[in-house]
Amino acid sequence: MSDPVSIPAPSAPSDFIRDIVRDDLASGRHQRVVTRFPPEPNGYLHIGHAKSICLNFGIALENQGVCHLRMDDTNPTKEDVEYVDSIIADVRWLIEGWADGILGLKPKGMGPEAAPDEVDFRLSATATHLGQPMEPFYASDYFDALYGFARQLIRLGRAYVCDLTPEETEQYRGSPDRPGRNSPYRNRTVEENLALFEKMKEGRFPDSACTLRARIDMESPNIWMRDPVIYRIRHADHHHTGNRWCIYPMYDFAHCLSDYIEGITHSICTLEFEVHRPLYDWILESLQLPRSLPHQFEFARLNLGYTVMSKRKLLQLVQGGLVSGWDDPRLPTISGLRRRGVPASALRAFAHEIGVTKYNGLTDLSVFEFAVRRELNRVAVRRMGVLRPLRLVLTNIAEGEVHWFDAVNNPEDPSAGTRKIPFSRHIFIEQEDFQENPPPKYFRLRPGGDVRLKYACIIRCDEVIKNDVGEVVEIRCTADLESHSGGANAARKVKGTIHWVSAGHSIAATVRLYDRLFTVAEPDKEEGDFRQYLNPESLQELEAQLEPSLAEAVGETRFQLERIGYFVRDSRETDSNRPVFNRTITLKDGWAKESARPG
Ligand code: ATP
Ligand code: MG
């Protein structure tokens, strides 16, 4: 079953970025909005990226625009095609059925053929072509164009080749409260700079021997404006351009120009780039470009409690074997959340609800969990399963005798219908639903007591049989078969209702229960290494018994085990003899109870 589509909210979202976009369209500053989502392919996407994806695709969708998926791949040493592929898959999954019509991909192999100094093409116009292989945009497809732009800056006297070592460059830069000093190479002639830059490109210098720097202002209060490096030498293969290049543009140089090349109108990024904006504008304005320029707007990144989001830290968890991979269901990665059973629509609803602001804060995990529960409550079919089985014998039912009862598939959705579930002499109930010496107000099964088995009938516990060492080995009960709905005793009332499965019909399955990955809300703000705050009990594996219809649960079909939580079949464990199910989330917030407890 594919993910049901739910367009987050009936109201059109409103925030300061959307206001700007609306004004720009109303004033005729732009005819059509073009946004982009520009991940660096150095890791898997996480829920913070989902916020950015929903914002960029959402704005394009609401304004009949387009959003480009661009690999921001200017750093050859950390990037990989595995990450490119995972990013494409995750973005597709997240926007499928919602904004897939505007997913900005381009016909495969189409790069900027135009001469760098007169770049004037709109790849986005072709972005929705059908019927040919499509691929994302790659910043590395613009390396020729970017090289041309760098030469242009040199010709304008606005860039120079600098031979300072990395350490010297650092020293010359100064600090926020101390102005920097001019590099001794700052006044090289245009001809000399062009020749040296050419040699850099030809591979005549080793790594770090020299850099190309923008010639701006070493005394600027903004440290990013103190003659930033815009090209560096790296003799390294690149996942997309192979060994064609040994010089690579720096992020600040590549990003604004990639935006310009693609005709991006609104370049939306997180707040830490605010201090880079003067440089973004300086580069574009210095080049005297013919077309209208993109503008950068910043919003607060998503920070979520009890997890880590930085790709560097996620990589440490993956490489250290502390989780089972990038798609470990405990991770906040999109692939992990998907494997855990979170619907894409719940992620989008969450992104919509947290909104877009200028203030960094920590979003409580319960806000996310609320969105997941609400969505799953709407779509998930109800099933029964017992996580820690305890065997009961119903002595007034003969061996081989089977009764079939009707069970409702989803009380939230009458169209989901009903199903028949088998009931027989041997059943399993949850261990914790039986107590020999229960506390007051215990309404489940106890010696001499009655309880209702959901969808079936009332049973009474007659006898508890123990072995020599006092362990319960069998619980003998009688069933009041007339107490099922429609029976002569249907009106009988008991205080407790519990779930169960028929032992002769149920399937054995491994069930994985997850808890928060960390024991503290902000593991990266605690003392010492963040990994020491991993929750040792974040994964629990149980051998459960589930109702027979779950043998057919496949793909992303989500179901609720009544009273236990929402589940999905694990997408990695595909041995059909031994199905594995992941609990996406419990029915209620167990942590809320925990913290409400006194002490
Ligand atoms: P990280 O710091 O988590 O490793 P990043 O910022 O290096 O991530 P990029 O691949 O550069 O990751 O991010 C792609 C886009 O996603 C950028 O526009 C970035 O601003 C945005 N983004 C990254 N993290 C978040 C977040 N936590 N919340 C919202 N947007 C984010
Ligand atoms: Mg980044």
Side-chain angles (χ1 to χ4, degrees), residues 45-48 304 307-309 314 330-334 337 517:
L45 298 181
H46 53 62
I47 188 169
L304 206 53
T307 191
V308 291
M309 220 104 94
L314 293 172
R330 292 166 295 178
L331 290 181
T333 52
I334 293 181
L337 294 169
L517 187 52

Side-chain angles (χ1 to χ4, degrees), residues 436-499:
E436 254 196 296
N437 301 299
K441 299 207 171 159
Y442 183 85
F443 298 127
R444 290 167 277 166
L445 196 63
R446 63 182 184 279
D450 299 303
V451 79
R452 178 176 286 282
L453 298 180
K454 185 131 197 212
Y455 303 118
C457 58
I458 295 170
I459 59 166
R460 167 179 295 266
C461 172
D462 304 315
E463 200 179 355
V464 179
I465 297 170
K466 295 185 182 172
N467 62 14
D468 297 347
V469 289
E471 292 164 347
V472 175
V473 288
E474 192 174 285
I475 297 175
R476 300 169 73 87
C477 304
T478 36
D480 176 0
L481 283 166
E482 284 305 315
S483 63
H484 75 88
S485 95
N489 299 337
R492 254 189 86 189
K493 292 247 178 319
V494 291
K495 282 209 165 138
T497 301
I498 60 174
H499 60 271

Side-chain angles (χ1 to χ4, degrees), residues 38 40 42 251 272-273 301 311:
E40 181 177 1
N42 62 350
Y251 170 87
E272 67 272 22
F273 292 100
R301 63 169 43 231
K311 283 185 276 191

Side-chain angles (χ1 to χ4, degrees), residues 200-324:
M200 282 171 66
K201 177 185 180 235
E202 284 169 358
R204 311 262 206 99
F205 302 118
D207 282 3
S208 310
C210 49
T211 55
L212 184 70
R213 297 176 66 179
R215 196 167 190 275
I216 311 180
D217 178 5
M218 289 306 291
E219 292 184 8
S220 168
N222 180 341
I223 210 146
W224 298 99
M225 297 297 275
R226 295 185 189 170
D227 291 12
V229 172
I230 56 175
Y231 259 94
R232 58 179 177 170
I233 304 172
R234 278 281 176 285
H235 290 271
D237 277 8
H238 184 279
H239 68 94
H240 193 62
T241 58
N243 60 6
R244 272 197 60 212
W245 293 89
C246 65
I247 54 170
Y248 291 93
M250 300 298 285
Y251 170 87
D252 282 314
F253 187 69
H255 202 90
C256 56
L257 287 165
S258 301
D259 284 346
Y260 174 77
I261 289 169
E262 292 178 15
I264 302 298
T265 53
H266 299 80
S267 180
I268 302 164
C269 60
T270 36
L271 279 178
E272 67 272 22
F273 292 100
E274 195 166 13
V275 286
H276 297 241
R277 178 153 33 96
L279 180 55
Y280 184 102
D281 292 337
W282 184 92
I283 293 169
L284 293 175
E285 283 160 13
S286 297
L287 283 165
Q288 300 161 3
L289 299 163
R291 286 188 287 119
S292 81
L293 301 181
H295 284 276
Q296 178 183 304
F297 304 92
E298 307 89 13
F299 70 100
R301 63 169 43 231
L302 168 69
N303 294 307
L304 206 53
Y306 295 93
T307 191
V308 291
M309 220 104 94
S310 123
K311 283 185 276 191
R312 193 173 52 82
K313 295 201 169 104
L314 293 172
L315 184 67
Q316 285 176 356
L317 295 177
V318 172
Q319 288 184 336
L322 297 164
V323 293
S324 65

Side-chain angles (χ1 to χ4, degrees), residues 19 25 116 130 154 178 217 256 290 299 304 345 383 390 394 400 417 477-478 491 512 579 585:
D19 291 345
L25 289 171
L130 294 171
I154 294 174
R178 189 165 45 85
D217 178 5
C256 56
F299 70 100
L304 206 53
S345 53
R383 293 291 181 259
L390 175 67
L394 303 173
C477 304
T478 36
R512 292 185 182 150
I585 195 164

